[in-house]
mmCIF file of all heavy atoms in Angstrom:
data_model
loop_
_atom_site.group_PDB
_atom_site.id
_atom_site.type_symbol
_atom_site.label_atom_id
_atom_site.label_comp_id
_atom_site.label_asym_id
_atom_site.label_seq_id
_atom_site.Cartn_x
_atom_site.Cartn_y
_atom_site.Cartn_z
ATOM 1 N N VAL R 307 10.035 -21.156 -30.319
ATOM 2 C CA VAL R 307 9.295 -20.675 -29.179
ATOM 3 C C VAL R 307 8.169 -21.702 -28.842
ATOM 4 O O VAL R 307 7.648 -22.428 -29.677
ATOM 5 C CB VAL R 307 8.582 -19.331 -29.460
ATOM 6 C CG1 VAL R 307 9.639 -18.306 -29.842
ATOM 7 C CG2 VAL R 307 7.512 -19.383 -30.519
ATOM 8 N N LYS R 308 7.754 -21.701 -27.588
ATOM 9 C CA LYS R 308 6.675 -22.596 -27.139
ATOM 10 C C LYS R 308 5.890 -21.689 -26.152
ATOM 11 O O LYS R 308 6.423 -21.195 -25.201
ATOM 12 C CB LYS R 308 7.296 -23.816 -26.438
ATOM 13 C CG LYS R 308 6.235 -24.800 -25.985
ATOM 14 C CD LYS R 308 6.962 -26.099 -25.585
ATOM 15 C CE LYS R 308 6.122 -27.016 -24.703
ATOM 16 N NZ LYS R 308 6.031 -26.485 -23.314
ATOM 17 N N MET R 309 4.637 -21.562 -26.425
ATOM 18 C CA MET R 309 3.851 -20.576 -25.677
ATOM 19 C C MET R 309 3.571 -20.963 -24.239
ATOM 20 O O MET R 309 3.737 -20.182 -23.350
ATOM 21 C CB MET R 309 2.489 -20.432 -26.397
ATOM 22 C CG MET R 309 2.402 -19.153 -27.144
ATOM 23 S SD MET R 309 0.798 -19.027 -27.918
ATOM 24 C CE MET R 309 0.839 -20.349 -29.002
ATOM 25 N N ASP R 310 3.102 -22.182 -24.058
ATOM 26 C CA ASP R 310 2.717 -22.600 -22.760
ATOM 27 C C ASP R 310 2.928 -24.186 -22.605
ATOM 28 O O ASP R 310 3.404 -24.772 -23.553
ATOM 29 C CB ASP R 310 1.289 -22.238 -22.445
ATOM 30 C CG ASP R 310 0.357 -22.664 -23.559
ATOM 31 O OD1 ASP R 310 0.591 -23.741 -24.185
ATOM 32 O OD2 ASP R 310 -0.618 -21.933 -23.865
ATOM 33 N N GLU R 311 2.550 -24.661 -21.465
ATOM 34 C CA GLU R 311 2.681 -26.090 -21.134
ATOM 35 C C GLU R 311 2.214 -27.010 -22.356
ATOM 36 O O GLU R 311 2.925 -27.938 -22.691
ATOM 37 C CB GLU R 311 1.827 -26.328 -19.908
ATOM 38 C CG GLU R 311 1.625 -27.795 -19.516
ATOM 39 C CD GLU R 311 2.848 -28.431 -18.916
ATOM 40 O OE1 GLU R 311 3.648 -27.711 -18.447
ATOM 41 O OE2 GLU R 311 2.940 -29.707 -19.045
ATOM 42 N N LYS R 312 1.081 -26.714 -22.885
ATOM 43 C CA LYS R 312 0.557 -27.562 -23.911
ATOM 44 C C LYS R 312 0.847 -27.159 -25.342
ATOM 45 O O LYS R 312 0.394 -27.815 -26.297
ATOM 46 C CB LYS R 312 -0.998 -27.642 -23.759
ATOM 47 C CG LYS R 312 -1.306 -28.393 -22.475
ATOM 48 C CD LYS R 312 -2.727 -28.523 -22.151
ATOM 49 C CE LYS R 312 -2.885 -29.316 -20.813
ATOM 50 N NZ LYS R 312 -4.157 -29.295 -20.219
ATOM 51 N N GLY R 313 1.598 -26.070 -25.478
ATOM 52 C CA GLY R 313 1.921 -25.556 -26.830
ATOM 53 C C GLY R 313 2.909 -26.431 -27.641
ATOM 54 O O GLY R 313 3.552 -27.302 -27.087
ATOM 55 N N GLU R 314 3.001 -26.177 -28.925
ATOM 56 C CA GLU R 314 3.984 -26.830 -29.749
ATOM 57 C C GLU R 314 5.182 -25.994 -29.909
ATOM 58 O O GLU R 314 5.181 -24.758 -29.633
ATOM 59 C CB GLU R 314 3.366 -27.290 -31.118
ATOM 60 C CG GLU R 314 2.775 -26.231 -31.965
ATOM 61 C CD GLU R 314 2.214 -26.736 -33.233
ATOM 62 O OE1 GLU R 314 2.737 -27.665 -33.808
ATOM 63 O OE2 GLU R 314 1.185 -26.217 -33.701
ATOM 64 N N ARG R 315 6.273 -26.593 -30.389
ATOM 65 C CA ARG R 315 7.514 -25.796 -30.621
ATOM 66 C C ARG R 315 7.499 -25.268 -32.024
ATOM 67 O O ARG R 315 7.317 -25.981 -32.973
ATOM 68 C CB ARG R 315 8.689 -26.740 -30.479
ATOM 69 C CG ARG R 315 8.898 -27.238 -29.025
ATOM 70 C CD ARG R 315 9.948 -28.308 -28.929
ATOM 71 N NE ARG R 315 11.283 -27.888 -29.256
ATOM 72 C CZ ARG R 315 12.201 -27.479 -28.351
ATOM 73 N NH1 ARG R 315 11.892 -27.516 -27.051
ATOM 74 N NH2 ARG R 315 13.366 -27.130 -28.726
ATOM 75 N N ILE R 316 7.567 -23.967 -32.131
ATOM 76 C CA ILE R 316 7.470 -23.294 -33.428
ATOM 77 C C ILE R 316 8.778 -22.537 -33.799
ATOM 78 O O ILE R 316 9.222 -21.755 -33.047
ATOM 79 C CB ILE R 316 6.303 -22.261 -33.394
ATOM 80 C CG1 ILE R 316 5.021 -22.907 -32.925
ATOM 81 C CG2 ILE R 316 6.099 -21.573 -34.761
ATOM 82 C CD1 ILE R 316 3.920 -21.911 -32.595
ATOM 83 N N PRO R 317 9.381 -22.880 -34.913
ATOM 84 C CA PRO R 317 10.568 -22.209 -35.330
ATOM 85 C C PRO R 317 10.251 -20.860 -35.975
ATOM 86 O O PRO R 317 9.359 -20.766 -36.764
ATOM 87 C CB PRO R 317 11.195 -23.138 -36.394
ATOM 88 C CG PRO R 317 10.056 -23.988 -36.916
ATOM 89 C CD PRO R 317 8.983 -24.004 -35.872
ATOM 90 N N LEU R 318 10.992 -19.811 -35.582
ATOM 91 C CA LEU R 318 10.840 -18.467 -36.124
ATOM 92 C C LEU R 318 12.198 -17.875 -36.359
ATOM 93 O O LEU R 318 13.093 -17.989 -35.543
ATOM 94 C CB LEU R 318 10.071 -17.598 -35.127
ATOM 95 C CG LEU R 318 8.634 -17.982 -34.835
ATOM 96 C CD1 LEU R 318 8.157 -17.140 -33.636
ATOM 97 C CD2 LEU R 318 7.710 -17.780 -36.003
ATOM 98 N N THR R 319 12.369 -17.165 -37.480
ATOM 99 C CA THR R 319 13.706 -16.572 -37.725
ATOM 100 C C THR R 319 13.806 -15.309 -36.883
ATOM 101 O O THR R 319 12.867 -14.662 -36.547
ATOM 102 C CB THR R 319 13.904 -16.178 -39.246
ATOM 103 O OG1 THR R 319 12.642 -15.821 -39.755
ATOM 104 C CG2 THR R 319 14.484 -17.319 -39.978
ATOM 105 N N ILE R 320 15.051 -14.990 -36.606
ATOM 106 C CA ILE R 320 15.313 -13.793 -35.837
ATOM 107 C C ILE R 320 15.356 -12.627 -36.788
ATOM 108 O O ILE R 320 16.076 -12.640 -37.812
ATOM 109 C CB ILE R 320 16.725 -13.942 -35.144
ATOM 110 C CG1 ILE R 320 16.674 -15.048 -34.064
ATOM 111 C CG2 ILE R 320 17.159 -12.623 -34.526
ATOM 112 C CD1 ILE R 320 18.060 -15.524 -33.552
ATOM 113 N N CYS R 321 14.552 -11.574 -36.435
ATOM 114 C CA CYS R 321 14.446 -10.487 -37.374
ATOM 115 C C CYS R 321 15.359 -9.357 -36.973
ATOM 116 O O CYS R 321 15.957 -8.607 -37.763
ATOM 117 C CB CYS R 321 12.985 -9.930 -37.333
ATOM 118 S SG CYS R 321 12.732 -8.436 -38.248
ATOM 119 N N ASP R 322 15.608 -9.225 -35.659
ATOM 120 C CA ASP R 322 16.580 -8.228 -35.124
ATOM 121 C C ASP R 322 16.986 -8.647 -33.728
ATOM 122 O O ASP R 322 16.308 -9.463 -33.174
ATOM 123 C CB ASP R 322 15.839 -6.823 -35.180
ATOM 124 C CG ASP R 322 16.886 -5.690 -35.266
ATOM 125 O OD1 ASP R 322 18.094 -5.948 -35.134
ATOM 126 O OD2 ASP R 322 16.445 -4.517 -35.290
ATOM 127 N N TYR R 323 18.008 -7.977 -33.275
ATOM 128 C CA TYR R 323 18.421 -8.269 -31.887
ATOM 129 C C TYR R 323 19.135 -7.097 -31.276
ATOM 130 O O TYR R 323 19.680 -6.249 -31.991
ATOM 131 C CB TYR R 323 19.328 -9.504 -31.786
ATOM 132 C CG TYR R 323 20.479 -9.478 -32.840
ATOM 133 C CD1 TYR R 323 21.723 -8.894 -32.471
ATOM 134 C CD2 TYR R 323 20.310 -9.993 -34.107
ATOM 135 C CE1 TYR R 323 22.743 -8.866 -33.405
ATOM 136 C CE2 TYR R 323 21.336 -10.007 -35.028
ATOM 137 C CZ TYR R 323 22.543 -9.419 -34.721
ATOM 138 O OH TYR R 323 23.561 -9.399 -35.615
ATOM 139 N N ASP R 324 19.000 -6.907 -29.980
ATOM 140 C CA ASP R 324 19.644 -5.824 -29.266
ATOM 141 C C ASP R 324 20.412 -6.437 -28.128
ATOM 142 O O ASP R 324 19.880 -6.913 -27.110
ATOM 143 C CB ASP R 324 18.613 -4.824 -28.745
ATOM 144 C CG ASP R 324 19.220 -3.594 -28.144
ATOM 145 O OD1 ASP R 324 20.316 -3.714 -27.498
ATOM 146 O OD2 ASP R 324 18.570 -2.558 -28.241
ATOM 147 N N ARG R 325 21.778 -6.522 -28.320
ATOM 148 C CA ARG R 325 22.610 -7.223 -27.356
ATOM 149 C C ARG R 325 22.562 -6.547 -25.975
ATOM 150 O O ARG R 325 22.619 -7.160 -24.941
ATOM 151 C CB ARG R 325 24.072 -7.297 -27.816
ATOM 152 C CG ARG R 325 24.181 -8.085 -29.114
ATOM 153 C CD ARG R 325 25.527 -8.827 -29.179
ATOM 154 N NE ARG R 325 25.942 -9.155 -30.520
ATOM 155 C CZ ARG R 325 25.523 -10.234 -31.214
ATOM 156 N NH1 ARG R 325 24.614 -11.017 -30.713
ATOM 157 N NH2 ARG R 325 25.955 -10.459 -32.459
ATOM 158 N N GLU R 326 22.496 -5.198 -25.996
ATOM 159 C CA GLU R 326 22.510 -4.449 -24.691
ATOM 160 C C GLU R 326 21.208 -4.641 -23.910
ATOM 161 O O GLU R 326 21.222 -4.871 -22.729
ATOM 162 C CB GLU R 326 22.796 -3.013 -24.932
ATOM 163 C CG GLU R 326 24.275 -2.726 -24.946
ATOM 164 C CD GLU R 326 24.608 -1.341 -25.499
ATOM 165 O OE1 GLU R 326 23.792 -0.434 -25.323
ATOM 166 O OE2 GLU R 326 25.707 -1.204 -26.040
ATOM 167 N N LYS R 327 20.091 -4.491 -24.644
ATOM 168 C CA LYS R 327 18.822 -4.677 -23.935
ATOM 169 C C LYS R 327 18.496 -6.137 -23.720
ATOM 170 O O LYS R 327 17.609 -6.478 -22.920
ATOM 171 C CB LYS R 327 17.698 -4.109 -24.842
ATOM 172 C CG LYS R 327 17.543 -2.603 -24.701
ATOM 173 C CD LYS R 327 16.183 -2.179 -25.227
ATOM 174 C CE LYS R 327 16.264 -0.884 -26.006
ATOM 175 N NZ LYS R 327 15.279 -0.738 -27.045
#
Side-chain angles (χ1 to χ4, degrees):
Chain R
V307 305
K308 182 168 162 285
M309 258 182 293
D310 50 34
E311 170 73 26
K312 291 179 179 166
E314 57 182 324
R315 293 169 66 96
I316 305 165
L318 296 170
T319 33
I320 294 168
C321 173
D322 203 356
Y323 49 90
D324 187 325
R325 300 214 200 276
E326 272 168 29
K327 278 197 218 150

